[in-house]
Amino acid sequence: MPPIRILWIEDEALYQLNALMGPVLYNYRTHHIELATTASDAQRLLCQGEYDVIIVDMRIPPGEHPAWKNIYRSQGNDKNKARLGAYLIEWMVGHTTSDQDLPALPHPIPAHCIAIFTAEESKAVQDLLNLGVALYQPKDSNYPDDILIRITERVLQSKSVPYA
Amino acid sequence: MNNLDAFIGLLLFLAGAPAFVLQFSSNTARDILLKRQPFAGALTLYGPFTLGVIVFIVLNSLPPSTISESILLYVLIALVLWVCFRTLSYARPTAIIHSELQRALKYIKLKRDFPQIHVNNIVDIGSESNNSEEQRQTLIALQKIAQAYLQCPTYKGNQFEDFIKDLQNILTIQDQEANAENYQIVISIMQSIVEHPQTHPGHSYADQSLAYKTLSALGQQALHFINPQVPILCMNALSTHNTPLSTAASQSLYEIAAAALKQDTPLIAMNALQAIGSAFYAAAPNLPSQEITFDYLALLAAFWQHGSSGQFIARRDLDELRSYPGLNLQQQIELAIEHQREKANFTISDQIEAMWLAYHNKNQSTMLR
C-alpha cells in the first residue's frame, strides 16, 4: 500500500517544531511527509504533487512568489496579521478572496483533505471551517509529539464523515 | 557672470565627488570602477563634472544674460543632486552590486550569453565583504542572474561550474548559524539548476551534477547548525518533485544522512531515509535502479552503526525488503558491497557487510530456536 502523502505548511517546522517530524519520518513506509515553509513553497509543491492530507499553519511568510508577497505587503508585512495560511486554503479550495494573480491548481483540492494546525483561536478560523476544512487543531501546550500522525488520521476519518 | 563664485564652487564639488567615492570604497570597488570597466567607471565618476564644465564653457562664451545664468545654475544643481544621490552611492558596495546586476541582466537579454565579467565583479565584492547583509545582497544578485540565464535558450547545461564554486566560497566566509538565510539562497539557486528541464539535444548535465554535489556539501557543512533547517532544505531540493529521484540525488542524500548520523542528528538522517526509501518503493512492482538500492542499503548500514535504535530501524526495513517482489536481498547486499569496494568506499562496504552478518546471524538463530 502506498504511504499517505502529507504536506505540512509550517514555517517553524524546521525550528521549534522540528521534533514533530520525527514520528512521521519514523513511519515513512506508511506516512510520507513533505514540508513547505512559505506560501510560495506550498503553492509550488501543490502544483507539482498530490497529497492526501494538507496541514496548514495560518501564520506563514510569503516566500518568493510576487502574488504572495503582494498579499503580505498589503496586510502590513506582518505574518500574524497577514494570515497567509487562510489565503492559501481559500486558494486551494477555489474560493480565493485575493485579487492577486495566483496560478491555478492542476487539480482542485477538496476542503476535507485540509487541516488547520495553528496558534490562532478557533473563532479566528471559523470562516475556513465553514468552507469544509476537515479540522482545527490548536497549537497549545498539550498536543502530543505524534500530533501530525493523529491529525492525519482524523482528516482521513473525516473524509468519510461530512463536516457538520 | 554675477554668480561666478557659486558656479565654481558647484563645479569643484562635482570634481571632488569622485575622490570622495574612491576614498571610501573598497579595493575591489575601485578596481571595478577604474580598471575593469574604465569607460563605464569614468562616466559614473567624472561624467557629471565633465558635463558641468562643458555647459559652463558654452554658456560663458555666450553674451551675458539672466537666462543663460539660470540655465547654468539649474544644470549644475541637477548635476550636484545626481552626484549626491547616484555617484556618491558607489562608495557603498551594495550600490555597485545593484549596478552590476542591472548590467548583467541587460547583457543576458541582449547577448544571450553568460555575463561573466559582471558576475566576477559581484562575486569579488561579496567575497571581500565581512558584512552579512552585503553578502546576502551579493547572493540575491547572483540568484537573479542564474534565474535569468537559465531561461536563456543558449544555456547548454555546462556554464555554471565557476559560478557554483564562487557561491560556495562566499558562504564559507561566514560559516555560522546567522548565515542560514544565505545558505537558503544558494540552495534555491541549486534547486533551480537541478530542476532545469533538459530540453536541448546534446544538453550537458555538468551543472546539474555539480549542483547535486554542492547540495550534499552544503547539507553536510550545515550539520553543526543548531536548527536542522539547512540540511533538510538541501534534502528537499534533492528529492524534488519534478523528476524521479536521480542516482546523483540519492548519493547526495546518503552522504548528508551518513554525516548526520556521525554527528548524532538522526532526524536529518530519517529525512533522507524517507526520500531514498520512498524512491525505492516507488518503483514497485518493478525493481528500482541499482544505484538507489545500493544507497538505500548503505544508509541502512549507517543506521546499523548508530546504536540499538538505529539497528531497530535498519532491521525493520531489511525485514520489509525481504518481501519485496522479485528482490533477492542477499544478492543485492553482495552487489552493494562489491559496488562500494569498486568505488573505494571501504568503510561503507564494511558497514553493509557487518550489518548483513549481524542481521543474517540473528535471523538464523531465531529460526533455529
Side-chain angles (χ1 to χ4, degrees), chain B residues 280-281 283-290 292-294 296-297 300 317-333 335 356:
Chain B
F280 181 91
Y281 284 98
N286 301 317
L287 287 175
S289 96
Q290 284 248 291
I292 287 177
T293 309
F294 296 156
Y296 186 28
L297 292 171
L300 293 182
D317 280 27
L318 287 170
D319 285 344
E320 204 164 343
L321 277 175
R322 284 167 69 189
S323 57
Y324 192 97
L327 184 92
N328 182 334
L329 184 54
Q330 176 147 7
Q331 187 189 36
Q332 289 300 322
I333 291 276
L335 287 171
W356 182 246

PDB file of all heavy atoms in Angstrom, chain B residues 280-281 283-290 292-294 296-297 300 317-333 335 356:
ATOM      1  N   PHE B 280      12.816   4.058  -3.564  1.00  0.00           N
ATOM      2  CA  PHE B 280      12.993   2.618  -3.775  1.00  0.00           C
ATOM      3  C   PHE B 280      11.634   1.942  -4.002  1.00  0.00           C
ATOM      4  O   PHE B 280      11.437   1.212  -4.967  1.00  0.00           O
ATOM      5  CB  PHE B 280      13.691   2.018  -2.542  1.00  0.00           C
ATOM      6  CG  PHE B 280      13.946   0.544  -2.640  1.00  0.00           C
ATOM      7  CD1 PHE B 280      15.137   0.075  -3.167  1.00  0.00           C
ATOM      8  CD2 PHE B 280      12.992  -0.374  -2.229  1.00  0.00           C
ATOM      9  CE1 PHE B 280      15.374  -1.290  -3.272  1.00  0.00           C
ATOM     10  CE2 PHE B 280      13.228  -1.733  -2.329  1.00  0.00           C
ATOM     11  CZ  PHE B 280      14.418  -2.194  -2.853  1.00  0.00           C
ATOM     12  N   TYR B 281      10.686   2.236  -3.115  1.00  0.00           N
ATOM     13  CA  TYR B 281       9.380   1.567  -3.212  1.00  0.00           C
ATOM     14  C   TYR B 281       8.520   2.153  -4.331  1.00  0.00           C
ATOM     15  O   TYR B 281       7.553   1.517  -4.758  1.00  0.00           O
ATOM     16  CB  TYR B 281       8.647   1.629  -1.872  1.00  0.00           C
ATOM     17  CG  TYR B 281       9.218   0.633  -0.889  1.00  0.00           C
ATOM     18  CD1 TYR B 281      10.142   1.014   0.074  1.00  0.00           C
ATOM     19  CD2 TYR B 281       8.854  -0.714  -0.947  1.00  0.00           C
ATOM     20  CE1 TYR B 281      10.690   0.103   0.949  1.00  0.00           C
ATOM     21  CE2 TYR B 281       9.398  -1.640  -0.074  1.00  0.00           C
ATOM     22  CZ  TYR B 281      10.313  -1.230   0.876  1.00  0.00           C
ATOM     23  OH  TYR B 281      10.856  -2.149   1.735  1.00  0.00           O
ATOM     24  N   ALA B 283       9.280   2.338  -7.272  1.00  0.00           N
ATOM     25  CA  ALA B 283       9.492   1.525  -8.476  1.00  0.00           C
ATOM     26  C   ALA B 283       8.616   0.273  -8.496  1.00  0.00           C
ATOM     27  O   ALA B 283       8.476  -0.365  -9.540  1.00  0.00           O
ATOM     28  CB  ALA B 283      10.953   1.129  -8.583  1.00  0.00           C
ATOM     29  N   ALA B 284       8.043  -0.081  -7.347  1.00  0.00           N
ATOM     30  CA  ALA B 284       7.255  -1.328  -7.248  1.00  0.00           C
ATOM     31  C   ALA B 284       6.136  -1.341  -8.298  1.00  0.00           C
ATOM     32  O   ALA B 284       5.556  -0.294  -8.576  1.00  0.00           O
ATOM     33  CB  ALA B 284       6.655  -1.436  -5.845  1.00  0.00           C
ATOM     34  N   PRO B 285       5.795  -2.432  -8.939  1.00  0.00           N
ATOM     35  CA  PRO B 285       6.282  -3.789  -8.664  1.00  0.00           C
ATOM     36  C   PRO B 285       7.605  -4.118  -9.363  1.00  0.00           C
ATOM     37  O   PRO B 285       8.085  -5.245  -9.246  1.00  0.00           O
ATOM     38  CB  PRO B 285       5.159  -4.666  -9.219  1.00  0.00           C
ATOM     39  CG  PRO B 285       4.603  -3.870 -10.354  1.00  0.00           C
ATOM     40  CD  PRO B 285       4.754  -2.437  -9.970  1.00  0.00           C
ATOM     41  N   ASN B 286       8.188  -3.142 -10.091  1.00  0.00           N
ATOM     42  CA  ASN B 286       9.484  -3.416 -10.723  1.00  0.00           C
ATOM     43  C   ASN B 286      10.599  -3.244  -9.700  1.00  0.00           C
ATOM     44  O   ASN B 286      10.385  -2.705  -8.608  1.00  0.00           O
ATOM     45  CB  ASN B 286       9.720  -2.442 -11.883  1.00  0.00           C
ATOM     46  CG  ASN B 286       8.624  -2.560 -12.925  1.00  0.00           C
ATOM     47  OD1 ASN B 286       8.207  -3.664 -13.272  1.00  0.00           O
ATOM     48  ND2 ASN B 286       8.147  -1.418 -13.387  1.00  0.00           N
ATOM     49  N   LEU B 287      11.784  -3.657 -10.130  1.00  0.00           N
ATOM     50  CA  LEU B 287      12.939  -3.437  -9.253  1.00  0.00           C
ATOM     51  C   LEU B 287      13.440  -2.012  -9.452  1.00  0.00           C
ATOM     52  O   LEU B 287      13.467  -1.516 -10.577  1.00  0.00           O
ATOM     53  CB  LEU B 287      14.053  -4.433  -9.587  1.00  0.00           C
ATOM     54  CG  LEU B 287      13.810  -5.879  -9.156  1.00  0.00           C
ATOM     55  CD1 LEU B 287      14.921  -6.775  -9.662  1.00  0.00           C
ATOM     56  CD2 LEU B 287      13.710  -5.977  -7.642  1.00  0.00           C
ATOM     57  N   PRO B 288      13.823  -1.332  -8.384  1.00  0.00           N
ATOM     58  CA  PRO B 288      14.349   0.033  -8.551  1.00  0.00           C
ATOM     59  C   PRO B 288      15.743   0.016  -9.171  1.00  0.00           C
ATOM     60  O   PRO B 288      16.342  -1.058  -9.344  1.00  0.00           O
ATOM     61  CB  PRO B 288      14.410   0.553  -7.118  1.00  0.00           C
ATOM     62  CG  PRO B 288      14.471  -0.643  -6.276  1.00  0.00           C
ATOM     63  CD  PRO B 288      13.825  -1.760  -7.001  1.00  0.00           C
ATOM     64  N   SER B 289      16.251   1.212  -9.491  1.00  0.00           N
ATOM     65  CA  SER B 289      17.597   1.270 -10.085  1.00  0.00           C
ATOM     66  C   SER B 289      18.620   0.758  -9.065  1.00  0.00           C
ATOM     67  O   SER B 289      18.445   0.916  -7.848  1.00  0.00           O
ATOM     68  CB  SER B 289      17.924   2.700 -10.507  1.00  0.00           C
ATOM     69  OG  SER B 289      18.652   3.350  -9.526  1.00  0.00           O
ATOM     70  N   GLN B 290      19.660   0.143  -9.592  1.00  0.00           N
ATOM     71  CA  GLN B 290      20.680  -0.469  -8.716  1.00  0.00           C
ATOM     72  C   GLN B 290      21.320   0.563  -7.797  1.00  0.00           C
ATOM     73  O   GLN B 290      21.536   0.307  -6.613  1.00  0.00           O
ATOM     74  CB  GLN B 290      21.748  -1.118  -9.594  1.00  0.00           C
ATOM     75  CG  GLN B 290      21.276  -2.420 -10.204  1.00  0.00           C
ATOM     76  CD  GLN B 290      22.034  -3.601  -9.638  1.00  0.00           C
ATOM     77  OE1 GLN B 290      23.212  -3.729  -9.921  1.00  0.00           O
ATOM     78  NE2 GLN B 290      21.387  -4.433  -8.868  1.00  0.00           N
ATOM     79  N   ILE B 292      20.122   3.287  -6.565  1.00  0.00           N
ATOM     80  CA  ILE B 292      19.244   3.672  -5.448  1.00  0.00           C
ATOM     81  C   ILE B 292      19.194   2.534  -4.426  1.00  0.00           C
ATOM     82  O   ILE B 292      19.229   2.774  -3.211  1.00  0.00           O
ATOM     83  CB  ILE B 292      17.848   4.066  -5.965  1.00  0.00           C
ATOM     84  CG1 ILE B 292      17.967   5.433  -6.650  1.00  0.00           C
ATOM     85  CG2 ILE B 292      16.814   4.125  -4.838  1.00  0.00           C
ATOM     86  CD1 ILE B 292      16.738   5.975  -7.276  1.00  0.00           C
ATOM     87  N   THR B 293      19.173   1.297  -4.918  1.00  0.00           N
ATOM     88  CA  THR B 293      19.208   0.151  -3.996  1.00  0.00           C
ATOM     89  C   THR B 293      20.492   0.185  -3.169  1.00  0.00           C
ATOM     90  O   THR B 293      20.469  -0.009  -1.942  1.00  0.00           O
ATOM     91  CB  THR B 293      19.151  -1.170  -4.793  1.00  0.00           C
ATOM     92  OG1 THR B 293      18.054  -1.101  -5.694  1.00  0.00           O
ATOM     93  CG2 THR B 293      18.985  -2.368  -3.878  1.00  0.00           C
ATOM     94  N   PHE B 294      21.609   0.463  -3.830  1.00  0.00           N
ATOM     95  CA  PHE B 294      22.898   0.488  -3.118  1.00  0.00           C
ATOM     96  C   PHE B 294      22.923   1.604  -2.068  1.00  0.00           C
ATOM     97  O   PHE B 294      23.405   1.406  -0.948  1.00  0.00           O
ATOM     98  CB  PHE B 294      24.061   0.675  -4.104  1.00  0.00           C
ATOM     99  CG  PHE B 294      24.223  -0.456  -5.083  1.00  0.00           C
ATOM    100  CD1 PHE B 294      24.859  -0.252  -6.298  1.00  0.00           C
ATOM    101  CD2 PHE B 294      23.740  -1.732  -4.800  1.00  0.00           C
ATOM    102  CE1 PHE B 294      25.020  -1.289  -7.209  1.00  0.00           C
ATOM    103  CE2 PHE B 294      23.888  -2.775  -5.704  1.00  0.00           C
ATOM    104  CZ  PHE B 294      24.529  -2.553  -6.911  1.00  0.00           C
ATOM    105  N   TYR B 296      20.341   2.913  -0.616  1.00  0.00           N
ATOM    106  CA  TYR B 296      19.386   2.553   0.437  1.00  0.00           C
ATOM    107  C   TYR B 296      20.058   1.586   1.423  1.00  0.00           C
ATOM    108  O   TYR B 296      20.005   1.781   2.643  1.00  0.00           O
ATOM    109  CB  TYR B 296      18.155   1.920  -0.217  1.00  0.00           C
ATOM    110  CG  TYR B 296      17.000   1.627   0.712  1.00  0.00           C
ATOM    111  CD1 TYR B 296      16.775   2.376   1.860  1.00  0.00           C
ATOM    112  CD2 TYR B 296      16.100   0.601   0.425  1.00  0.00           C
ATOM    113  CE1 TYR B 296      15.703   2.108   2.691  1.00  0.00           C
ATOM    114  CE2 TYR B 296      15.018   0.324   1.247  1.00  0.00           C
ATOM    115  CZ  TYR B 296      14.829   1.076   2.384  1.00  0.00           C
ATOM    116  OH  TYR B 296      13.768   0.812   3.210  1.00  0.00           O
ATOM    117  N   LEU B 297      20.724   0.584   0.893  1.00  0.00           N
ATOM    118  CA  LEU B 297      21.391  -0.391   1.769  1.00  0.00           C
ATOM    119  C   LEU B 297      22.536   0.273   2.545  1.00  0.00           C
ATOM    120  O   LEU B 297      22.744  -0.022   3.729  1.00  0.00           O
ATOM    121  CB  LEU B 297      21.906  -1.575   0.939  1.00  0.00           C
ATOM    122  CG  LEU B 297      20.801  -2.460   0.319  1.00  0.00           C
ATOM    123  CD1 LEU B 297      21.409  -3.469  -0.650  1.00  0.00           C
ATOM    124  CD2 LEU B 297      19.997  -3.172   1.406  1.00  0.00           C
ATOM    125  N   LEU B 300      20.979   2.147   5.368  1.00  0.00           N
ATOM    126  CA  LEU B 300      20.563   1.243   6.446  1.00  0.00           C
ATOM    127  C   LEU B 300      21.781   0.779   7.251  1.00  0.00           C
ATOM    128  O   LEU B 300      21.724   0.661   8.479  1.00  0.00           O
ATOM    129  CB  LEU B 300      19.808   0.039   5.872  1.00  0.00           C
ATOM    130  CG  LEU B 300      18.444   0.342   5.238  1.00  0.00           C
ATOM    131  CD1 LEU B 300      17.790  -0.945   4.748  1.00  0.00           C
ATOM    132  CD2 LEU B 300      17.518   1.041   6.230  1.00  0.00           C
ATOM    133  N   ASP B 317      13.484  -2.267   8.215  1.00  0.00           N
ATOM    134  CA  ASP B 317      13.480  -2.061   6.761  1.00  0.00           C
ATOM    135  C   ASP B 317      14.000  -3.286   6.014  1.00  0.00           C
ATOM    136  O   ASP B 317      13.505  -3.618   4.932  1.00  0.00           O
ATOM    137  CB  ASP B 317      14.304  -0.822   6.410  1.00  0.00           C
ATOM    138  CG  ASP B 317      13.516   0.455   6.648  1.00  0.00           C
ATOM    139  OD1 ASP B 317      12.612   0.432   7.517  1.00  0.00           O
ATOM    140  OD2 ASP B 317      13.783   1.465   5.970  1.00  0.00           O
ATOM    141  N   LEU B 318      15.004  -3.959   6.596  1.00  0.00           N
ATOM    142  CA  LEU B 318      15.523  -5.168   5.936  1.00  0.00           C
ATOM    143  C   LEU B 318      14.449  -6.263   5.913  1.00  0.00           C
ATOM    144  O   LEU B 318      14.294  -6.964   4.905  1.00  0.00           O
ATOM    145  CB  LEU B 318      16.781  -5.675   6.652  1.00  0.00           C
ATOM    146  CG  LEU B 318      18.044  -4.832   6.443  1.00  0.00           C
ATOM    147  CD1 LEU B 318      19.154  -5.289   7.387  1.00  0.00           C
ATOM    148  CD2 LEU B 318      18.540  -4.902   5.005  1.00  0.00           C
ATOM    149  N   ASP B 319      13.702  -6.368   7.015  1.00  0.00           N
ATOM    150  CA  ASP B 319      12.612  -7.362   7.053  1.00  0.00           C
ATOM    151  C   ASP B 319      11.631  -7.092   5.911  1.00  0.00           C
ATOM    152  O   ASP B 319      11.168  -8.013   5.242  1.00  0.00           O
ATOM    153  CB  ASP B 319      11.856  -7.287   8.392  1.00  0.00           C
ATOM    154  CG  ASP B 319      12.670  -7.916   9.519  1.00  0.00           C
ATOM    155  OD1 ASP B 319      13.626  -8.644   9.215  1.00  0.00           O
ATOM    156  OD2 ASP B 319      12.351  -7.647  10.706  1.00  0.00           O
ATOM    157  N   GLU B 320      11.354  -5.819   5.726  1.00  0.00           N
ATOM    158  CA  GLU B 320      10.382  -5.469   4.682  1.00  0.00           C
ATOM    159  C   GLU B 320      10.970  -5.702   3.282  1.00  0.00           C
ATOM    160  O   GLU B 320      10.264  -6.123   2.371  1.00  0.00           O
ATOM    161  CB  GLU B 320       9.960  -4.012   4.851  1.00  0.00           C
ATOM    162  CG  GLU B 320       8.601  -3.748   4.247  1.00  0.00           C
ATOM    163  CD  GLU B 320       7.986  -2.441   4.725  1.00  0.00           C
ATOM    164  OE1 GLU B 320       8.448  -1.900   5.758  1.00  0.00           O
ATOM    165  OE2 GLU B 320       7.086  -1.963   4.067  1.00  0.00           O
ATOM    166  N   LEU B 321      12.253  -5.443   3.159  1.00  0.00           N
ATOM    167  CA  LEU B 321      12.909  -5.645   1.853  1.00  0.00           C
ATOM    168  C   LEU B 321      12.869  -7.118   1.422  1.00  0.00           C
ATOM    169  O   LEU B 321      12.801  -7.413   0.233  1.00  0.00           O
ATOM    170  CB  LEU B 321      14.376  -5.193   1.916  1.00  0.00           C
ATOM    171  CG  LEU B 321      14.645  -3.702   1.724  1.00  0.00           C
ATOM    172  CD1 LEU B 321      16.123  -3.416   1.927  1.00  0.00           C
ATOM    173  CD2 LEU B 321      14.220  -3.247   0.353  1.00  0.00           C
ATOM    174  N   ARG B 322      12.929  -7.987   2.411  1.00  0.00           N
ATOM    175  CA  ARG B 322      12.934  -9.429   2.078  1.00  0.00           C
ATOM    176  C   ARG B 322      11.651  -9.850   1.368  1.00  0.00           C
ATOM    177  O   ARG B 322      11.651 -10.804   0.598  1.00  0.00           O
ATOM    178  CB  ARG B 322      13.110 -10.264   3.360  1.00  0.00           C
ATOM    179  CG  ARG B 322      14.554 -10.228   3.861  1.00  0.00           C
ATOM    180  CD  ARG B 322      14.671 -10.767   5.247  1.00  0.00           C
ATOM    181  NE  ARG B 322      14.423 -12.196   5.298  1.00  0.00           N
ATOM    182  CZ  ARG B 322      14.298 -12.894   6.422  1.00  0.00           C
ATOM    183  NH1 ARG B 322      14.402 -12.283   7.577  1.00  0.00           N
ATOM    184  NH2 ARG B 322      14.083 -14.171   6.399  1.00  0.00           N
ATOM    185  N   SER B 323      10.578  -9.096   1.638  1.00  0.00           N
ATOM    186  CA  SER B 323       9.312  -9.482   0.997  1.00  0.00           C
ATOM    187  C   SER B 323       9.033  -8.661  -0.267  1.00  0.00           C
ATOM    188  O   SER B 323       7.946  -8.727  -0.823  1.00  0.00           O
ATOM    189  CB  SER B 323       8.164  -9.334   1.991  1.00  0.00           C
ATOM    190  OG  SER B 323       8.137  -8.009   2.464  1.00  0.00           O
ATOM    191  N   TYR B 324      10.013  -7.868  -0.722  1.00  0.00           N
ATOM    192  CA  TYR B 324       9.821  -7.081  -1.956  1.00  0.00           C
ATOM    193  C   TYR B 324       9.778  -8.055  -3.133  1.00  0.00           C
ATOM    194  O   TYR B 324      10.675  -8.888  -3.289  1.00  0.00           O
ATOM    195  CB  TYR B 324      10.976  -6.094  -2.117  1.00  0.00           C
ATOM    196  CG  TYR B 324      10.750  -5.047  -3.185  1.00  0.00           C
ATOM    197  CD1 TYR B 324      10.281  -3.784  -2.850  1.00  0.00           C
ATOM    198  CD2 TYR B 324      11.004  -5.307  -4.528  1.00  0.00           C
ATOM    199  CE1 TYR B 324      10.076  -2.813  -3.812  1.00  0.00           C
ATOM    200  CE2 TYR B 324      10.795  -4.349  -5.495  1.00  0.00           C
ATOM    201  CZ  TYR B 324      10.340  -3.095  -5.139  1.00  0.00           C
ATOM    202  OH  TYR B 324      10.138  -2.144  -6.105  1.00  0.00           O
ATOM    203  N   PRO B 325       8.749  -7.947  -3.966  1.00  0.00           N
ATOM    204  CA  PRO B 325       8.603  -8.930  -5.041  1.00  0.00           C
ATOM    205  C   PRO B 325       9.796  -8.937  -6.007  1.00  0.00           C
ATOM    206  O   PRO B 325      10.182  -7.890  -6.522  1.00  0.00           O
ATOM    207  CB  PRO B 325       7.321  -8.490  -5.760  1.00  0.00           C
ATOM    208  CG  PRO B 325       7.043  -7.109  -5.296  1.00  0.00           C
ATOM    209  CD  PRO B 325       7.661  -6.953  -3.969  1.00  0.00           C
ATOM    210  N   GLY B 326      10.362 -10.131  -6.192  1.00  0.00           N
ATOM    211  CA  GLY B 326      11.441 -10.292  -7.184  1.00  0.00           C
ATOM    212  C   GLY B 326      12.805  -9.833  -6.704  1.00  0.00           C
ATOM    213  O   GLY B 326      13.758  -9.811  -7.491  1.00  0.00           O
ATOM    214  N   LEU B 327      12.917  -9.428  -5.442  1.00  0.00           N
ATOM    215  CA  LEU B 327      14.204  -8.925  -4.952  1.00  0.00           C
ATOM    216  C   LEU B 327      14.907 -10.002  -4.126  1.00  0.00           C
ATOM    217  O   LEU B 327      14.350 -10.486  -3.145  1.00  0.00           O
ATOM    218  CB  LEU B 327      14.006  -7.672  -4.091  1.00  0.00           C
ATOM    219  CG  LEU B 327      15.287  -7.011  -3.620  1.00  0.00           C
ATOM    220  CD1 LEU B 327      15.731  -5.930  -4.593  1.00  0.00           C
ATOM    221  CD2 LEU B 327      15.110  -6.376  -2.252  1.00  0.00           C
ATOM    222  N   ASN B 328      16.103 -10.351  -4.552  1.00  0.00           N
ATOM    223  CA  ASN B 328      16.919 -11.284  -3.775  1.00  0.00           C
ATOM    224  C   ASN B 328      17.823 -10.439  -2.885  1.00  0.00           C
ATOM    225  O   ASN B 328      18.818  -9.866  -3.347  1.00  0.00           O
ATOM    226  CB  ASN B 328      17.737 -12.157  -4.730  1.00  0.00           C
ATOM    227  CG  ASN B 328      18.574 -13.177  -3.985  1.00  0.00           C
ATOM    228  OD1 ASN B 328      18.934 -12.982  -2.831  1.00  0.00           O
ATOM    229  ND2 ASN B 328      18.866 -14.289  -4.648  1.00  0.00           N
ATOM    230  N   LEU B 329      17.451 -10.328  -1.626  1.00  0.00           N
ATOM    231  CA  LEU B 329      18.136  -9.383  -0.740  1.00  0.00           C
ATOM    232  C   LEU B 329      19.610  -9.732  -0.572  1.00  0.00           C
ATOM    233  O   LEU B 329      20.481  -8.848  -0.643  1.00  0.00           O
ATOM    234  CB  LEU B 329      17.431  -9.334   0.617  1.00  0.00           C
ATOM    235  CG  LEU B 329      17.983  -8.310   1.608  1.00  0.00           C
ATOM    236  CD1 LEU B 329      18.030  -6.913   1.025  1.00  0.00           C
ATOM    237  CD2 LEU B 329      17.186  -8.310   2.895  1.00  0.00           C
ATOM    238  N   GLN B 330      19.887 -11.023  -0.380  1.00  0.00           N
ATOM    239  CA  GLN B 330      21.292 -11.412  -0.186  1.00  0.00           C
ATOM    240  C   GLN B 330      22.132 -11.024  -1.410  1.00  0.00           C
ATOM    241  O   GLN B 330      23.239 -10.495  -1.275  1.00  0.00           O
ATOM    242  CB  GLN B 330      21.392 -12.917   0.063  1.00  0.00           C
ATOM    243  CG  GLN B 330      22.833 -13.367   0.173  1.00  0.00           C
ATOM    244  CD  GLN B 330      23.033 -14.527   1.127  1.00  0.00           C
ATOM    245  OE1 GLN B 330      22.071 -15.100   1.633  1.00  0.00           O
ATOM    246  NE2 GLN B 330      24.276 -14.863   1.377  1.00  0.00           N
ATOM    247  N   GLN B 331      21.570 -11.280  -2.579  1.00  0.00           N
ATOM    248  CA  GLN B 331      22.304 -10.944  -3.813  1.00  0.00           C
ATOM    249  C   GLN B 331      22.519  -9.422  -3.903  1.00  0.00           C
ATOM    250  O   GLN B 331      23.604  -8.953  -4.262  1.00  0.00           O
ATOM    251  CB  GLN B 331      21.488 -11.429  -5.012  1.00  0.00           C
ATOM    252  CG  GLN B 331      22.215 -11.298  -6.331  1.00  0.00           C
ATOM    253  CD  GLN B 331      21.281 -11.592  -7.494  1.00  0.00           C
ATOM    254  OE1 GLN B 331      20.096 -11.265  -7.470  1.00  0.00           O
ATOM    255  NE2 GLN B 331      21.813 -12.217  -8.508  1.00  0.00           N
ATOM    256  N   GLN B 332      21.498  -8.669  -3.556  1.00  0.00           N
ATOM    257  CA  GLN B 332      21.622  -7.198  -3.612  1.00  0.00           C
ATOM    258  C   GLN B 332      22.666  -6.704  -2.610  1.00  0.00           C
ATOM    259  O   GLN B 332      23.414  -5.768  -2.892  1.00  0.00           O
ATOM    260  CB  GLN B 332      20.269  -6.534  -3.316  1.00  0.00           C
ATOM    261  CG  GLN B 332      19.243  -6.704  -4.415  1.00  0.00           C
ATOM    262  CD  GLN B 332      19.696  -6.123  -5.747  1.00  0.00           C
ATOM    263  OE1 GLN B 332      20.330  -5.072  -5.806  1.00  0.00           O
ATOM    264  NE2 GLN B 332      19.415  -6.837  -6.837  1.00  0.00           N
ATOM    265  N   ILE B 333      22.695  -7.342  -1.447  1.00  0.00           N
ATOM    266  CA  ILE B 333      23.693  -6.969  -0.436  1.00  0.00           C
ATOM    267  C   ILE B 333      25.099  -7.223  -0.994  1.00  0.00           C
ATOM    268  O   ILE B 333      26.000  -6.366  -0.885  1.00  0.00           O
ATOM    269  CB  ILE B 333      23.474  -7.777   0.864  1.00  0.00           C
ATOM    270  CG1 ILE B 333      22.177  -7.349   1.559  1.00  0.00           C
ATOM    271  CG2 ILE B 333      24.684  -7.687   1.787  1.00  0.00           C
ATOM    272  CD1 ILE B 333      22.260  -6.141   2.455  1.00  0.00           C
ATOM    273  N   LEU B 335      26.008  -7.410  -4.116  1.00  0.00           N
ATOM    274  CA  LEU B 335      26.289  -6.432  -5.187  1.00  0.00           C
ATOM    275  C   LEU B 335      26.636  -5.063  -4.598  1.00  0.00           C
ATOM    276  O   LEU B 335      27.527  -4.365  -5.093  1.00  0.00           O
ATOM    277  CB  LEU B 335      25.079  -6.304  -6.117  1.00  0.00           C
ATOM    278  CG  LEU B 335      24.815  -7.480  -7.057  1.00  0.00           C
ATOM    279  CD1 LEU B 335      23.462  -7.324  -7.749  1.00  0.00           C
ATOM    280  CD2 LEU B 335      25.923  -7.585  -8.111  1.00  0.00           C
ATOM    281  N   TRP B 356      24.832  -6.974   7.477  1.00  0.00           N
ATOM    282  CA  TRP B 356      24.236  -8.191   6.931  1.00  0.00           C
ATOM    283  C   TRP B 356      24.584  -9.420   7.783  1.00  0.00           C
ATOM    284  O   TRP B 356      23.722 -10.256   8.050  1.00  0.00           O
ATOM    285  CB  TRP B 356      24.681  -8.379   5.481  1.00  0.00           C
ATOM    286  CG  TRP B 356      24.064  -9.599   4.857  1.00  0.00           C
ATOM    287  CD1 TRP B 356      24.689 -10.717   4.442  1.00  0.00           C
ATOM    288  CD2 TRP B 356      22.670  -9.817   4.603  1.00  0.00           C
ATOM    289  NE1 TRP B 356      23.807 -11.623   3.937  1.00  0.00           N
ATOM    290  CE2 TRP B 356      22.540 -11.096   4.026  1.00  0.00           C
ATOM    291  CE3 TRP B 356      21.508  -9.065   4.818  1.00  0.00           C
ATOM    292  CZ2 TRP B 356      21.316 -11.632   3.649  1.00  0.00           C
ATOM    293  CZ3 TRP B 356      20.292  -9.603   4.444  1.00  0.00           C
ATOM    294  CH2 TRP B 356      20.206 -10.874   3.868  1.00  0.00           C
TER     295      TRP B 356
END
